[in-house]
Amino acid sequence: MVHVRIVSILVLGLALAGMAAAAPTGPRLQTTDRSPVVVRGTNFRPAERVTVVLDAEGRWHRTATADASGRFTVQFPVSVPMCDDFRLQAFGSKGSRAMTLPQRRTTCSNPTM
């Protein structure tokens, strides 16, 4: 009887761990183009209104509504050169939040060297 309980607990634990691993991650932002800047959001709540903020030589705002699968795309009227830093933040009306660290192309060379 004790062995049956232990096996049941182990099976349940493995099933829950598998479900957690298969669950989507939290909201994410991805830059798909830099000229002009295009951003894709994923894993937001369905039909959530999302404000995306781009910090790059100024501050730019765009708003989109996530589709039924939690995705959206926004385009900013600005281009960011490959070697320039920028940061993205997104704030959803249903509580979703996402941000990126300053993004910079690592292959840029330093012209002063």
Side-chain angles (χ1 to χ4, degrees), residues 70-95:
R71 288 181 261 177
F72 65 86
T73 301
V74 294
Q75 180 175 324
F76 292 88
V78 63
S79 295
V80 178
M82 290 304 254
C83 293
D84 287 2
D85 291 339
F86 68 97
R87 189 171 100 166
L88 294 165
Q89 298 178 76
F91 306 94
S93 62
K94 297 180 181 179

Side-chain angles (χ1 to χ4, degrees), residues 23-100:
T25 60
R28 295 182 58 125
L29 298 172
Q30 178 185 12
T31 306
T32 60
D33 202 347
R34 291 175 76 121
S35 183
V37 175
V38 178
V39 177
R40 178 183 302 135
T42 56
N43 299 330
F44 284 78
R45 295 183 184 200
E48 185 170 30
R49 189 168 171 84
V50 181
T51 298
V52 182
V53 180
L54 167 66
D55 285 313
E57 296 292 324
R59 182 171 266 209
W60 305 84
H61 298 80
R62 287 290 173 263
T63 303
T65 301
D67 65 14
S69 62
R71 288 181 261 177
F72 65 86
T73 301
V74 294
Q75 180 175 324
F76 292 88
V78 63
S79 295
V80 178
M82 290 304 254
C83 293
D84 287 2
D85 291 339
F86 68 97
R87 189 171 100 166
L88 294 165
Q89 298 178 76
F91 306 94
S93 62
K94 297 180 181 179
S96 297
R97 301 281 187 265
M99 65 181 272
T100 63

